[in-house]
Structures are given as C-alpha cells and as structure tokens.
Amino acid sequence: MSEQGVSVPSEALPAGRALRRPRAGAKTEVAVQLLSPLALLAVWEITARAGYIDQRFYPAPSSIVQAFWDAVTTGVLLHHLKITLGRLALGTLIGGVPAVLLGLAMGLSRWLRLALDPIIAATYPLPKSALFPLLLLIFGLGEGSKVAMVAIGVFYLAVTNSMEGVLAINPVYLDVAKTFGARRLDVVRTVALPGALPLVLAGLRLGVGTGLILGVLAEMLGARDGLGYLLWSAWQTFSVSSLYAVLFVTAVLGFVSVKVVDILRRWLVPWQSGSRN
Amino acid sequence: MAGTGGTTSTGATGTQFALRVDAVSKRFRQGQRELLALDNVSFDIEVGRFLVIVGPSGCGKTTLLRILAGLERQDEGQIWIRPNADGHPAAAMVFQEQSVFPWMTVRDNVAYGLALRGVGRRERFREAERWIRSVGLEGFERAYPHQLSGGMKQRVSIARAFAVDPDVLLMDEPFSALDEQTRTILQQEVSSLSEQQHKTVIFVTHSIDEAITLGDEVLVMTHRPGRVKRLISIPFARPRDVVGVRANPRYGELYEEIWQLIAEEVQQGPREE
Ligand SMILES: Nc1ncnc2c1ncn2[C@@H]1O[C@H](COP(=O)(O)OP(=O)(O)OP(=O)(O)O)[C@@H](O)[C@H]1O
Ligand SMILES: [Mg+2]
C-alpha cells in the first residue's frame, strides 16, 4: 500500500522551469531597487503624520530633511564631517601603511610570522572599543586618542589580510620565477607584491569600515567635535531629527570611504575582471 | 642510449649531448614513510632532439622535470646540462598547471624572463611581440590572462619559455587541459618551433598519440618508483605534419608497442619499497 517507491513529483518540473524564467529587464530591476526605499519613506511619512508611530522616536522624514538642511546651511554638519574625515584619513594612513608592510613581511618571512603571529592572534579578539579608556590615558583627550582608535581598527584587518595575501599565492608562480632565474628581491617585486595586492586591498576595505566605527565611537565617548560628538549631543538635547540626519551622513561617509578603496583597487589591480559588482 | 656515468659532453660518435641524467634517485617524506619517487634513472639526449616521457600517474615525471629545472634536488645521481655561453639558466619550463602571472599583461608575461635578465624595455617588448606572433596571439599583447581562454594562456606559457631562448625546454603535460582541436594546433606549433629553433625538448604526456606525434624518442617509465622501462625511437622525419603522421603505417605499430608497455605497468601497480 505504502508509496515508498521512486517517483518524481509531477510539480517538480514546472517549478524547476519557473526558477529559470528569464530575468526581468535591467530597467525594471533598477526601478524596483529605487522604488522600494522610496515606498518605505512614503509609508513612514504618512504613518508619522497620521500619528500611527511615535514622532518622538521616528520623526517624519520631512522633518529629518529639515534638520539635515539646517545643519548644512549653518555649516555645522560640514565642520564636524571634515573633522571626522580628517581623523579617518589620518588613522587609516597611520594604521594601514605599517600594517600592510608588516603583513607582507610576515607573509614573506617564516621567522617573522612565527614571532608575531601569536601576538596578533592573541590581541585580535579583544574588542577594540574596550581599548578606548587606555588610549585616553595614553594620548589624552586630544586628537591622538581618536586617531589611534581608527588606526587600530584599520591595522588588524590590514595586517592579517596582507599576510594571507602573500601566503595565498599559488606556489607555481614562485616556481616560474625561480626557473627564470629570479633572485629573492625579484620574487618579492614581481610575484609576492602583485600577488598579494588583491587581499591587501580587501583588508584595507574592511579596515576602513572598522576604523570609521571605532572613530565615531571614540568621538561619542570623548570628543568635542566630529560626527560622533554630534550624534551624542543630539541625543543629549533630544533633537531626534538631527540624530537621524547625522546618522545618515555617517552612513554616507562609510559608503564613500569604502568606495574610495574600491576605486583604488580598480586602479591598482587592473588584472581582476569586473566580475565582482 | 642509457647513460653509464661520467659527465662527458660528447658521445663516442662525436654527437653532442644537451643533457645527461645519470643514476638519479629521489625520495619524498610522506609523514612517517619515505616514498621513493625516482629510482636510478639514467638517459641522455642529443642536442636538438625531442624526447617524450610517458608513464603511469605518480611515476615521477613531474619530479624529474623539476629536478632538471633546478626546483628540486635529487638525493642520488647527477644531472648535467650543456652550459650555455651567456651563463643564464639553460632550461625553461612550461608547467602542468596554469602558470601565467594573472597580474601581468600577455606582453609582460612573455617578456618576464628577459626583464629578469635586465634586457631593456624596448628590446624585450620587441622580442616578446615576436613570440606572441609566433604562437598566434597578435592583438592580445595588452590583454590580461583573465581575458584569455585556457588554450591562449597555454600559448602565453609557451611563448614565455621560448622568449628566453633556452637550450632545453621542459614541458610538463602542457596540453592536457585543452580541447582536441586546440591541442592539435599547439602540437604542430611546438613541433615546428622546436625544430626551427633547434631546441632540445623534454615533453611529458599521458597521451600515446601525442608521444608518437611529437617525439624523436619516447621514454616509457615504470610505475612508482619511476625507472626507465624502455626507450623507443620514432622513425618519422622532422619537420613533421602532426596530423599526417597518424596515417603512417608505422604509427599503429608504435602505438601498440607503447600501449603494451604502459599497460603492463598499470596492471602491475606501484611496487612497494
Ligand atoms: N613535494 C612532494 N612531497 C611528497 N611527495 C611528493 C612530492 N612531490 C611528488 N611527490 C610524490 O612523488 C610521486 C611522483 O610524483 P610526480 O608528481 O612526479 O608524478 P607524475 O609522474 O608527474 O604524475 P602525474 O602523471 O599524475 O602528473 C608521487 O607519488 C607523489 O605523491
Ligand atoms: Mg605530473
């Protein structure tokens, strides 16, 4: 009686075909991508004005735009954005450059790897935010502690990815170099550096993101300026619309800084197809 | 033909040797065990000859080429390669796997060996472009490897090896990953180029057909540990039409003979040390 035999459910075929339905046109796809956030904003605006959601926590988008516009026209937003941007850039430079150099050196030298990998591995899991009090102690309330926070965020991701970048190089490329008579420095120049570059930049990309998180956090906890400070003071004065406006700007800054690394990557790594994105 | 020691460069009849392999053995450690990959391998090749090596998988063909290329050291025995006038590495290798640098354009890849020798930009690019033309890749000088098909990448590898004008070319199953048409075309190109340029070639393959088509001699190796089982002369004159050769009545006999030798080895399996 039981139907345990092998059978193909007849619905399987149409379902399989449905999966392979030709993709909608590119224009339709773009339209959907643009319309869905706009629709969300519209619903938000309407429900906020109608009093269905609490305007104290979720002010209507129009009032956020107003707050944003006020902050722009008074120059306040730009002032603080510039400061955060400066800290992010300086921290990325201070953390990223030594990290890339050290990571590459660790990838190339087994001894350096043996010596330093345990230290990095042991300190890596520590939440970097927990270091801020210590950094305040060391660098004081000035610029140093904030920049150091960004630098630490960039450093760890850049150092580990740069090292992995060298280690991930297919050994056949080293063999090729050797059979053509490459000396050690030639190998570094023609194989190790270019071979590691894709992962180096991937590390920087992640590092800049983390650096921004830590930088803004540091500004909230101990600064008199910057986007983090602006966020915090918006909370303290309960100007919720400004809070949203600054959040938006911070998100844009994160997006743009990652894009900058992407542009750098397209320029430095022209041999990787545009297959990503 | 099998070498009997000594490091002379000239045979009894005055022939010039390009390379001599004399009683070479190689062991690998695999965990606790030692694995004998090559056992007392000896052979010589005269200048300009095309030697094809066939043998069961794992018999040490790649290991032998890597020793000849200086990437690995034998545990016993000696190799001798005719020194060239300019003191550069005498042998260039085309690898079994994809080995074109992804971060260099086709032209930079082909010019790589010359760049390492300090040849100026203008001159090495001129030389590279000549070889790119020889392997039929004109128009792709500035392309990156990801823009090329598998067959085109292998052409780049071949051009890169020829560009340094090596006396000896070591080729490890260079066409095994290619489709049949591309393989036939590249076989013809390598056969013609090595003939024109008077290169000595050691070419590893699993294809008996390829061995007969290309080789002046075919060296059949035993199952692991790799030894020389038989050296067979291919009597076809060169330059050779790699397709036409298959119609030769001797082709079938040679195929049969080599197939028998390999089949014996494959049936026997690896010998335990
Ligand atoms: N670096 C290594 N370490 C340990 N064992 C190795 C190493 N290289 C090769 N071997 C072993 O030596 C033997 C010969 O390997 P080799 O790659 O030379 O074989 P092959 O004849 O080229 O095989 P194939 O036809 O499959 O390419 C194999 O058993 C392999 O496992
Ligand atoms: Mg092999």
Side-chain angles (χ1 to χ4, degrees), chain B residues 6-271:
Chain B
T7 52
T8 47
S9 57
T10 314
T13 54
T15 49
Q16 297 234 303
F17 288 116
L19 180 150
R20 313 194 75 167
V21 174
D22 185 23
V24 162
S25 297
K26 174 77 189 173
R27 280 180 208 86
F28 286 112
R29 297 186 65 86
Q30 292 199 332
Q32 301 289 336
R33 292 179 8 153
E34 278 225 326
L35 179 132
L36 188 58
L38 292 172
D39 183 19
N40 197 22
V41 173
S42 301
F43 61 90
D44 318 317
I45 312 177
E46 290 165 22
V47 169
R49 302 288 274 178
F50 201 120
L51 176 80
V52 179
I53 300 180
V54 293
S57 187
C59 74
K61 304 179 294 294
T62 297
T63 305
L64 181 59
L65 289 199
R66 288 177 63 84
I67 291 172
L68 292 172
L71 293 172
E72 210 95 60
R73 254 197 85 73
Q74 69 273 29
D75 294 307
E76 281 152 45
Q78 284 178 339
I79 59 165
W80 174 89
I81 300 180
R82 168 174 295 280
N84 52 6
D86 48 17
H88 295 133
M93 181 140 166
V94 177
F95 289 82
Q96 190 167 358
E97 69 230 79
Q98 201 292 105
S99 69
V100 174
F101 296 129
W103 49 85
M104 290 184 193
T105 60
V106 167
R107 190 171 64 179
D108 282 328
N109 262 291
V110 175
Y112 182 67
L114 295 173
L116 288 181
R117 291 178 187 181
V119 176
R121 202 180 154 79
R122 169 107 36 105
E123 196 186 334
R124 69 172 188 262
F125 282 174
R126 182 160 13 89
E127 191 64 12
E129 276 157 17
R130 186 164 78 82
W131 283 107
I132 289 168
R133 245 174 288 128
S134 303
V135 298
L137 283 180
E138 294 129 294
F140 290 94
E141 289 83 357
R142 284 153 205 272
Y144 282 100
H146 77 260
Q147 297 165 301
L148 307 181
S149 70
M152 291 160 87
K153 283 182 211 163
Q154 211 53 316
R155 287 166 197 252
V156 177
S157 291
I158 292 164
R160 181 172 67 183
F162 271 100
V164 293
D165 194 23
D167 295 333
V168 179
L169 273 162
L170 307 169
M171 308 184 85
D172 193 2
E173 301 187 41
F175 308 146
S176 57
L178 304 181
D179 66 276
E180 184 155 354
Q181 288 88 332
T182 310
R183 190 184 315 141
T184 307
I185 291 165
L186 286 183
Q187 282 169 352
Q188 185 65 65
E189 280 173 10
V190 163
S191 182
S192 307
L193 283 175
S194 62
E195 166 77 18
Q196 284 160 23
Q197 307 282 325
H198 309 293
K199 299 295 180 207
T200 307
V201 183
I202 303 186
F203 187 108
V204 169
T205 181
H206 277 285
S207 157
I208 298 173
D209 169 69
E210 191 166 69
I212 301 169
T213 313
L214 294 177
D216 294 317
E217 272 138 306
V218 176
L219 190 156
V220 183
M221 287 181 73
T222 66
H223 218 303
R224 201 177 61 228
R227 302 191 185 107
V228 176
K229 183 174 175 81
R230 187 82 59 81
L231 191 69
I232 295 165
S233 275
I234 307 295
F236 306 140
R238 292 173 70 205
R240 220 178 258 181
D241 169 3
V242 299
V243 177
V245 122
R246 291 169 182 148
N248 192 303
R250 285 283 285 134
Y251 175 91
E253 293 167 30
L254 288 163
Y255 195 103
E256 178 68 18
E257 185 182 355
I258 295 169
W259 167 246
Q260 286 300 336
L261 292 169
I262 294 177
E264 268 173 41
E265 287 306 313
V266 172
Q267 276 157 18
Q268 178 156 355
R271 300 166 182 79

